[in-house]
Amino acid sequence: MLKHSLLAIALMLPIGAYAASAKKPETGSPFTKARNQAAGNLSTNIVTMQKMVNLCRNDKNADNIKTSVNNWQTRNKAFLQMHFGYVSALVESVQEKATPEELAKFKENLVKVNTENANTIVKTLVDKDGKDLACEKYFTYLDGGEMDIKPGKPDYATLKEMLDFANKTPSDSKTKK
């Protein structure tokens, strides 16, 4: 269930293109260029993973690939849930201010850019190593935690800050003032 929800949301937020064109956030808005970029990169990673699953899965490795993806989702669950909430809130924010046509174009552009970025990544992996080796490497790295959201990885600081922000309770805000 989480996998399908994440994929649907991942398709909603691209890397770079949206973040670069985002309007300045309103005062107090949680939607910043850095956060949009980090969420977009995570979206691209999720879509890339799904594309690699579709490319690499066969009768012999289907169970191993399913286990790899499930384990990755378990290890990164808190970040994935935060990502889902952030993207959902971003779409709701746009929906509140946009005309139906603008909202449709917004969603269409997000899906397009995210899909194009994931396709480029998959193509690069396959062109470099061939399909079989690309698949083997990808899922070896996934199993080994190399694709986890953790310190030292790109966007980690922003994603961690977003997670902390998402987990902040109203009493936390009052205590810090």
Side-chain angles (χ1 to χ4, degrees), residues 61-77:
N61 68 14
D63 288 339
N64 290 340
I65 286 177
K66 181 178 180 181
T67 299
S68 294
V69 171
N70 287 341
N71 289 343
W72 180 85
Q73 288 175 337
T74 298
R75 291 189 308 268
N76 295 280
K77 183 177 181 177

Side-chain angles (χ1 to χ4, degrees), residues 102-118:
E102 290 170 333
L103 180 62
K105 181 142 180 89
F106 173 79
K107 289 178 179 180
E108 178 184 313
N109 286 337
L110 294 179
V111 171
K112 178 183 176 193
V113 171
N114 200 323
T115 300
E116 288 173 356
N117 289 332

Side-chain angles (χ1 to χ4, degrees), residues 115-135:
T115 300
E116 288 173 356
N117 289 332
N119 286 341
T120 299
I121 292 168
V122 171
K123 182 180 182 329
T124 300
L125 295 173
V126 172
D127 287 352
K128 180 180 181 241
D129 292 324
K131 178 186 168 191
D132 292 342
L133 184 55
C135 289

Side-chain angles (χ1 to χ4, degrees), residues 13 25 27 48 62 80 87 90 105 120 140 155 167:
L13 189 68
T27 304
T48 300
L80 297 172
V87 176
L90 177 63
K105 181 142 180 89
T120 299
T140 296
D155 296 320
N167 289 330

Side-chain angles (χ1 to χ4, degrees), residues 141-156:
Y141 293 142
L142 190 69
D143 285 338
E146 291 300 313
M147 297 173 155
D148 287 2
I149 303 163
K150 60 187 178 184
K153 293 294 185 176
D155 296 320
Y156 175 77

Side-chain angles (χ1 to χ4, degrees), residues 38-65:
N41 290 341
L42 181 51
S43 294
T44 295
N45 291 340
I46 294 166
V47 175
T48 300
M49 182 184 306
Q50 187 60 51
K51 288 181 174 294
M52 289 300 290
V53 167
N54 292 339
L55 175 71
C56 301
R57 183 179 47 212
N58 59 45
D59 291 340
K60 293 179 184 178
N61 68 14
D63 288 339
N64 290 340
I65 286 177

